[in-house]
Amino acid sequence: MRHGADLMTSIEIGIAVSVLMLVVVLLGMRVAFAAALAGVVGLVWIFWSKKGYDPSQFFWALGIAAKTAGQVPHSKVASQALSLIPTFILIGYLAYYAGLTKALFQAAKSWLGWLPGGLAVATIFATAGFAAVSGASVATSAVFARIAIPEMLAVGYDKKFAAGVVAAGGTLASLIPPSAILVIYAIIVEQDVGLLLLAGFLPGAVSALIYGGLVVAMALTFKNFGPPVGGFSWWDRIKSVPSVLPVVAVVLVIICFVYNPFGEEAWGTPTEGGAIGVFIVFCMALISGMRWPELKSALLESAKLSVMIFTIIWGVLIYVRFLGFADLPNAFADWISNLDQSPMLTLILILLAYAVLGMFMDAIGMLLLTLPVVYPAVMALNGGEAVTAADSTFGMNGTMCAVWFGILAVKMAELCLITPPIGLNCFVVAGVRDDISVQDVFKGSSPFFVADAATIAVLIAFPGIVLFLPRLLTG
Amino acid sequence: MAGASTIITDDSLLSRLDQKLFRIEGWLALVSGLAVFSLIILAVVSVSGRNFWNQPIPGYVDWIEQAMPLIAFMGIAYVQRQGGHIRMDLIIGLFKGRALWVLELFSVMIILVLMILLTWGSFEHFLRSFDFAAPLWSRDSSMDIAIPLWPAKLIAPVAFSVLCLRLVLQIWAYTRAALHNVEHPIAVPLIEDAAEMASKEAASVSGFDETRG
């Protein structure tokens, strides 16, 4: 047993090192290396403090720290669950070459164009469909900026609004499976990946419906909004279906590999489901004319993005290894759960903090850096990892609380893709369209920001939307 | 995002070394990409084998765990060269000229010290499972079909050493930039604002649709 004085010091070391990490991140050090640096410095500090800061023992402490940290990259990365991340990244690049974007937009247009604001509604649902074969928001916005904006402008939509629709539609990819960011969350908090992937489905669909409803309401309220586009026969509609079937197939495959709706055993693991999904899209891309140069570029881009994400993951896990020695997460969780205010208020404040932080930082980096400390605190708020639904604060057991918080945090982080100053989706849309400024895209997407705030409120008020599918899986 | 920043080249020794190393880094990154693809093939063979021939791939999970270090580490220097590891450049983006290069120099020097420590630490991790005297030179092996683990453990220190070389080149380049106070130094990624980054991101998914019509 350590006695009180020691414990104090290690928590203080934990706080000091975490502050150091935030400072170097603010000063512009690459996030992955800043986290690993904090971890190594912290380990050296803790080990050296145990030797009473004896100068002759410094290199001993350095050696132990390097060996402790040096195990982390290989041992943490060589895992089956993490293999979903590169898989979900690759599927997005291949989906682009498979020509699914145009097919989705055509289908959505012929089925939904008759609605008030029809083209914008079609854009929302086409991006939602593309999200089902892509795990990344930014690419979705880039692709649809090319396809959907020209058509909307041609029938007289406001330029700002057309751009805003595309930027906002791109954010749907983060919740609708396959979602790379949900896999990362699941791994960091050590929850089941399949549960989180399933959990994203309904909130993603709800987000798309709220977006769609918003567009219809705006079209009914404002004059000279984009007109409905008609003239599609039922035959046109039916004809548009086969070309989007691969999307349906990918969704079904991924769901059936996680949870079999027919009540039998699931077909396999999420890892297999994800890979089979990629294979379907890969075959489609081959049929649509993808050859080695395109495949090579898709592979290289996937490798780059994967390496970037994995570097942050192992960097943060070195920091987490140190945090364990410093006992900081427990101390923080104690403090949070003993605050003299309602736990729900605390949770909402945490989510708001994410919204503010997300305005200045990439979503993946932000979640990875903060979750090691924030997640145990949220679990403590609910009554601990092992709490039953009856005894808990938020009315759900530990696992379900982890899933619910994950969806809320990811939705919060993605919200920031359409807020100034660095909302990347808006920059991408402005980058594709020379005639639309970033400010215009931010203005155009602001109604969707309000819609997202409403979605988050709904998900907080009715956790059942998030937890319905995961509860089927856990029985 | 994993965008690629602009990197200026010329025919100086530094720039030639930069481009040579970049070729190697490019090959390593492609290995990582192919490893991603191998995951897909592996799953297809495994699932179809299990369902159609009642013959799953022996050690499916073992092979995935062997492929993961290739994916996770091989491209690390490639991404560093292109300035693709994410960071917050809100503050550092305010600096210009010599002040900026000195700040970058400090940051890269600290990362080099860190990576030398981690190269050593991860090499120690490899040494614990490597033994010339043991069968297949291996002291430990994977759970299911007993593949030796040392090759996968060796990937991290190898990739980290390439990253160290890259960092040395960047230290050289930033030092030169700070000494001569140049505006556009060679061989290092230049800071881009969100708009420039976004237009590159957009360009990476353009063209294919248009040409197919």
Side-chain angles (χ1 to χ4, degrees):
Chain A
M1 279 300 285
R2 287 179 288 182
H3 41 84
D6 272 346
L7 201 66
M8 261 323 277
T9 359
S10 56
I11 288 174
E12 279 165 10
I13 295 174
I15 294 172
V17 168
S18 304
V19 170
L20 169 94
M21 177 176 82
L22 291 181
V23 170
V24 292
V25 166
L26 273 175
L27 286 178
M29 185 183 275
R30 312 275 166 191
V31 170
F33 300 121
L37 177 74
V40 172
V41 168
L43 285 169
V44 174
W45 194 342
I46 290 246
F47 292 140
W48 200 29
S49 75
K50 296 219 163 101
K51 297 282 175 184
Y53 302 108
D54 178 354
S56 66
Q57 297 294 317
F58 176 75
F59 284 100
W60 169 85
L62 191 69
I64 296 287
K67 282 181 197 171
T68 311
Q71 293 175 9
V72 173
H74 171 267
S75 55
K76 292 294 178 182
V77 151
S79 98
Q80 179 185 210
L82 277 177
S83 73
L84 273 173
I85 294 173
T87 318
F88 285 176
I89 292 171
L90 179 61
I91 195 173
Y93 284 105
L94 291 179
Y96 165 66
Y97 290 118
L100 289 173
T101 45
K102 277 207 165 156
L104 279 164
F105 188 58
Q106 283 305 330
K109 204 167 64 175
S110 60
W111 285 88
L112 300 168
W114 57 272
L115 285 164
L119 268 185
V121 178
T123 306
I124 299 285
F125 283 93
T127 49
F130 190 67
V133 287
S134 163
S137 300
V138 180
T140 312
S141 288
V143 171
F144 278 93
R146 270 166 218 290
I147 301 174
I149 294 182
E151 295 212 22
M152 282 192 271
L153 295 188
V155 296
Y157 275 81
D158 176 45
K159 211 160 63 173
K160 291 176 200 158
F161 180 74
V165 171
V166 172
T171 65
L172 295 172
S174 60
L175 287 180
I176 296 176
S179 156
I181 194 164
L182 279 176
V183 176
I184 295 171
Y185 174 85
I187 293 197
I188 290 290
V189 305
E190 299 182 335
Q191 291 291 342
D192 187 77
V193 173
L195 273 186
L196 275 146
L197 289 178
L198 270 190
F201 191 79
L202 285 181
V206 168
S207 296
L209 284 174
I210 290 185
Y211 279 4
L214 174 74
V215 172
V216 173
M218 285 172 75
L220 291 175
T221 315
F222 300 108
K223 278 188 185 152
N224 301 327
F225 202 79
V229 280
F232 293 101
S233 66
W234 278 102
W235 177 237
D236 288 333
R237 288 176 188 162
I238 291 164
K239 248 187 354 195
S240 71
V241 169
S243 54
V244 298
L245 280 182
V247 177
V248 180
V250 169
V251 174
L252 283 181
V253 161
I254 292 180
I255 288 183
C256 288
F257 271 85
V258 177
Y259 161 73
N260 190 335
F262 308 110
E264 294 163 36
E265 282 278 288
W267 293 358
T269 61
T271 322
E272 289 171 335
I276 303 289
V278 182
F279 187 71
I280 296 173
V281 176
F282 170 71
C283 295
M284 280 296 299
L286 279 185
I287 295 168
S288 306
M290 180 185 73
R291 292 296 171 261
W292 172 242
E294 288 89 17
L295 177 61
K296 185 181 162 188
S297 122
L299 289 179
L300 212 50
E301 289 299 316
S302 308
K304 261 165 61 179
L305 203 51
S306 306
V307 167
M308 183 205 99
I309 291 173
F310 279 117
T311 311
I312 309 183
I313 289 180
W314 64 250
V316 166
L317 287 172
I318 291 177
Y319 169 65
V320 169
R321 176 69 63 95
F322 152 70
L323 281 184
F325 280 101
D327 218 24
L328 186 63
N330 281 335
F332 184 69
D334 274 351
W335 178 74
I336 280 273
S337 49
N338 289 320
L339 281 180
D340 195 17
Q341 62 186 29
S342 95
M344 186 54 91
L345 180 63
T346 312
L347 181 79
I348 291 172
L349 288 177
I350 290 175
L351 290 173
L352 285 179
Y354 273 140
V356 175
L357 203 56
M359 288 169 71
F360 303 100
M361 209 172 161
D362 179 272
I364 291 173
M366 170 180 95
L367 287 182
L368 276 166
L369 279 184
T370 55
L371 281 175
V373 178
V374 170
Y375 170 76
V378 170
M379 294 311 279
L381 272 183
N382 189 43
E385 294 260 2
V387 74
T388 60
D391 296 334
S392 66
T393 316
F394 301 128
M396 58 191 85
N397 67 30
T399 310
M400 288 301 144
C401 181
V403 171
W404 182 55
F405 179 67
I407 300 294
L408 292 177
V410 166
K411 182 76 195 166
M412 220 62 207
E414 294 292 316
L415 178 61
C416 304
L417 284 170
I418 54 169
T419 58
I422 62 158
L424 205 54
N425 276 16
C426 295
F427 278 98
V428 165
V429 172
V432 172
R433 302 283 310 189
D434 291 337
D435 56 329
I436 304 175
S437 76
V438 183
Q439 285 74 17
D440 286 346
V441 191
F442 279 130
K443 274 182 206 146
S445 60
S446 52
F448 297 97
F449 178 82
V450 178
D452 274 340
T455 310
I456 290 168
V458 167
L459 296 181
I460 291 177
F462 305 103
I465 299 173
V466 178
L467 300 178
F468 175 70
L469 289 175
R471 276 182 181 142
L472 289 181
L473 187 65
T474 50
Chain B
M1 288 284 105
S5 302
T6 313
I7 289 139
I8 302 172
T9 54
D10 60 17
D11 54 5
S12 65
L13 175 63
L14 172 60
S15 183
R16 275 183 289 138
L17 284 176
D18 163 57
Q19 290 168 65
K20 280 219 175 80
L21 185 59
F22 185 53
R23 280 187 67 107
I24 299 172
E25 289 163 343
W27 283 109
L28 294 178
L30 188 59
V31 169
S32 157
L34 290 171
V36 178
F37 197 65
S38 75
L39 290 178
I40 315 299
I41 302 299
L42 210 56
V44 171
V45 176
S46 165
V47 170
S48 53
R50 193 175 63 214
N51 290 318
F52 302 129
W53 294 285
N54 241 341
Q55 179 71 60
I57 295 189
Y60 171 57
V61 174
D62 290 14
W63 287 115
I64 292 180
E65 289 175 359
Q66 298 286 307
M68 285 309 291
L70 281 174
I71 297 169
F73 304 132
M74 282 311 233
I76 191 170
Y78 180 88
V79 177
Q80 175 70 16
R81 197 267 187 177
Q82 301 203 323
H85 290 294
I86 58 167
R87 66 163 166 187
M88 259 179 86
D89 44 20
L90 222 57
I91 293 179
I92 202 168
L94 299 176
F95 288 84
K96 277 206 166 56
R98 185 166 277 161
L100 174 63
W101 309 135
V102 171
L103 208 58
E104 295 272 27
L105 179 61
F106 269 117
S107 176
V108 175
M109 286 201 304
I110 295 170
I111 297 177
L112 178 63
V113 174
L114 170 75
M115 286 319 298
I116 290 174
L117 278 174
L118 287 179
T119 308
W120 173 49
S122 56
F123 190 70
E124 286 284 329
H125 184 56
F126 154 77
L127 278 185
R128 276 192 293 278
S129 68
F130 184 80
D131 183 358
F132 267 122
L136 292 171
W137 298 345
S138 183
R139 274 199 209 125
D140 53 9
S141 58
S142 62
M143 297 282 282
D144 190 6
I145 53 163
I147 314 169
L149 289 182
W150 63 263
K153 289 184 179 174
L154 189 56
I155 293 168
V158 167
F160 290 177
S161 344
V162 180
L163 176 62
C164 289
L165 286 180
R166 166 57 57 196
L167 291 166
V168 169
L169 279 186
Q170 290 189 336
I171 288 176
W172 179 357
Y174 281 127
T175 311
R176 217 171 86 145
L179 285 179
H180 302 297
N181 200 9
V182 286
E183 203 177 332
H184 299 293
I186 52 164
V188 289
L190 303 177
I191 292 189
E192 296 178 322
D193 57 26
E196 288 170 62
M197 249 165 64
S199 66
K200 282 201 179 132
E201 190 87 33
S204 75
V205 287
S206 66
F208 191 75
D209 266 349
E210 281 84 345
T211 54
R212 314 263 138 198

